Amino acid sequence: MDDGLRQPTLLADARALVPFEREQLVLSVIAPTFNESKNVPELIERLEACLGHLVWEVIFVDDDSPDQTAALVRQIAQTKPYVRCLQRFGRRGLSTAVIEGIASSSAPYVAVIDADLQHDESLLAQMLPLITSRDLDLIVGSRYINGGGMGQLSSARQAMSKFATRLSRLIMPFDLTDPMSGFFMAKRQSFAAATPYLSGAGYKILLDFVASSPRPLEHMELPYEFRPRLHGESKIDAMVLFEYLVLLLEKTVGRYVPLRFFLFCLVGGSGVFVHLATLFPLKALVPFAAAQGIAGLVSMTSNFVLSNVLTYRDCRLRGRKLVTGLLSFYAVCSIGFLANVSFADMLYERGYAWWIAGSAGVLIGSVWNFGASSIFTWKRN
Ligand SMILES: Nc1nc2c(ncn2[C@@H]2O[C@H](COP(=O)(O)OP(=O)(O)OP(=O)(O)O)[C@@H](O)[C@H]2O)c(=O)[nH]1
Ligand SMILES: [Mg+2]
């Protein structure tokens, strides 16, 4: 990267380039964590080494990790007041963790970094003088520009990341070489301006930020080499991919239809297949009405399971609540079915074409099922 600017290689340079009072809090570093207790102490030490000349803080946003990451952070924070812990309960999500971490900070600049030591924290000392002196909104750590790299990431993961980067062009207002990067620094005000429009879905908070900002962001990229994970496990799984699709849908289809409703209808569509696939073999074994009834129950159950895992993944029912939720879902859908049939019948009686009457019935039934189940089954609006 040749940006014509003096690159601060020494800490003294960095301090000289950051126009803040000695006592003023300049930077909040947000580190989302889930089971990172083995990495936290090392990350704090490394941040101290590169930011120690500034007034800064690190906020660990932990989703109640079973390995007691939050307790460890709090213990360290007792002697290091620049270390903070924001512990969340009953939910998961890297993007929402970052959003809430940033919302809890008051520094004029924020940085987001993985807690697993895979990002090059020493870059923060370069980012800060650049973002202030150039009055930028955003500096992104990129693995895809000269000097950066994917490290030892498996070729399958590299290919996935590149594919996801290509897909991101659907929603990106400007080109970034590495919108999948979880490593960036931003002006807090610029992030705050985008906050009301953020999707919060999944793990790609940088892409969400860039796609949700009400105005184009003044930005630049700096290279870094992605390091291998030293301790702990990656949280990348099929759900991460699904969440990425949700983010893309939210920023495209979601502009016109609430995404949860869209997902609810997709799941409902899959229920039609489940229904027919159950009905087909059953009708040879039992009377048609019984087969239709059983198929209805099976498809409602599969709709419930899929909605619980996908559409309402953030307030997923577990244990005993799964059973009461299923019963309330049956009740809600039965009323929806009656509404569907009676509305369609009324339209048909009034002379509307069969397909208009039928579709209107399905729409009324779906809207009812969606609204009522989100209130009674998953207890939200
Ligand atoms: N608060 C919170 N943090 C999370 C969650 N999922 C992942 N993280 C943290 O986000 C950071 C990145 O997660 P990783 O699983 O390492 O994902 P990655 O770095 O993209 O993938 P790997 O290269 O496989 O490690 C780590 O600090 C995780 O602890 C979550 O649901 N909630
Ligand atoms: Mg990682």
Side-chain angles (χ1 to χ4, degrees), residues 30-108:
I30 314 297
T33 54
F34 191 76
N35 285 343
E36 300 290 1
S37 60
K38 293 204 176 113
N39 292 314
V40 160
E42 171 82 19
L43 178 63
I44 294 173
E45 275 171 30
R46 291 191 191 183
L47 289 173
E48 284 167 340
C50 65
L51 298 173
H53 57 296
L54 299 164
V55 184
W56 64 285
E57 64 179 355
V58 55
I59 305 173
F60 290 93
V61 188
D62 184 67
D63 285 350
D64 201 21
S65 302
D67 80 344
Q68 303 296 313
T69 305
L72 175 69
V73 172
R74 271 195 291 268
Q75 188 194 335
I76 299 173
Q78 288 184 354
T79 51
K80 298 184 173 183
Y82 47 87
V83 174
R84 288 174 49 199
C85 175
L86 178 58
Q87 187 175 7
R88 310 194 305 167
F89 299 92
R91 61 208 171 104
R92 288 280 310 273
L94 199 157
S95 287
T96 54
V98 168
I99 294 167
E100 287 164 38
I102 292 178
S104 81
S105 92
S106 49

Side-chain angles (χ1 to χ4, degrees), residues 149-328:
M150 295 293 265
Q152 295 165 18
L153 208 63
S154 71
S155 46
R157 282 280 303 275
Q158 292 197 28
M160 241 167 60
S161 175
K162 282 192 179 136
F163 180 64
T165 300
R166 244 176 247 140
L167 271 185
S168 73
R169 295 203 184 114
L170 282 172
I171 62 170
M172 289 261 295
F174 51 81
D175 263 355
L176 273 182
T177 60
D178 196 359
M180 300 296 116
S181 173
F183 186 31
F184 63 94
M185 184 176 288
K187 205 188 270 177
R188 213 179 66 83
Q189 270 179 349
S190 312
F191 193 89
T195 303
Y197 312 105
L198 291 170
S199 145
Y203 296 75
K204 299 301 165 194
I205 182 61
L206 172 63
L207 179 59
D208 197 358
F209 170 34
V210 167
S212 306
S213 176
R215 60 177 177 79
L217 299 165
E218 295 294 329
H219 66 281
M220 70 178 291
E221 298 178 277
L222 290 179
Y224 80 98
E225 177 89 19
F226 197 64
R227 302 181 188 132
R229 193 180 243 286
L230 285 186
H231 307 286
E233 282 169 17
S234 164
K235 281 102 215 166
I236 300 281
D237 58 13
M239 210 55 191
V240 172
L241 299 182
F242 175 76
E243 294 276 3
Y244 182 55
L245 286 182
V246 168
L247 173 61
L248 293 180
L249 284 172
E250 195 139 292
K251 291 285 152 203
T252 48
V253 181
R255 288 177 206 272
Y256 311 103
V257 188
L259 192 69
R260 221 188 264 279
F261 181 60
F262 180 76
L263 290 176
F264 192 83
C265 292
L266 274 189
V267 168
S270 78
V272 175
F273 286 102
V274 173
H275 186 99
L276 295 179
T278 315
L279 183 60
F280 181 67
L282 266 188
K283 69 181 174 25
L285 304 172
V286 294
F288 184 79
Q292 173 74 350
I294 296 171
L297 263 183
V298 172
S299 61
M300 262 194 289
T301 310
S302 98
N303 280 0
F304 172 78
V305 171
L306 287 177
S307 298
N308 195 42
V309 173
L310 303 177
T311 317
Y312 292 98
R313 62 202 176 284
D314 54 334
C315 46
R316 194 169 161 176
L317 303 173
R318 292 187 164 86
R320 247 176 35 157
K321 285 191 179 160
L322 203 62
V323 179
T324 50
L326 178 62
L327 294 178
S328 81

Side-chain angles (χ1 to χ4, degrees), residues 6 8-22 53-54 125 128-130 132-133:
R6 186 165 66 105
T9 46
L10 298 171
L11 295 183
D13 285 345
R15 178 162 38 204
L17 285 168
V18 180
F20 285 94
E21 301 292 327
R22 259 184 185 282
H53 57 296
L54 299 164
L128 196 57
L130 283 173
T132 53
S133 63

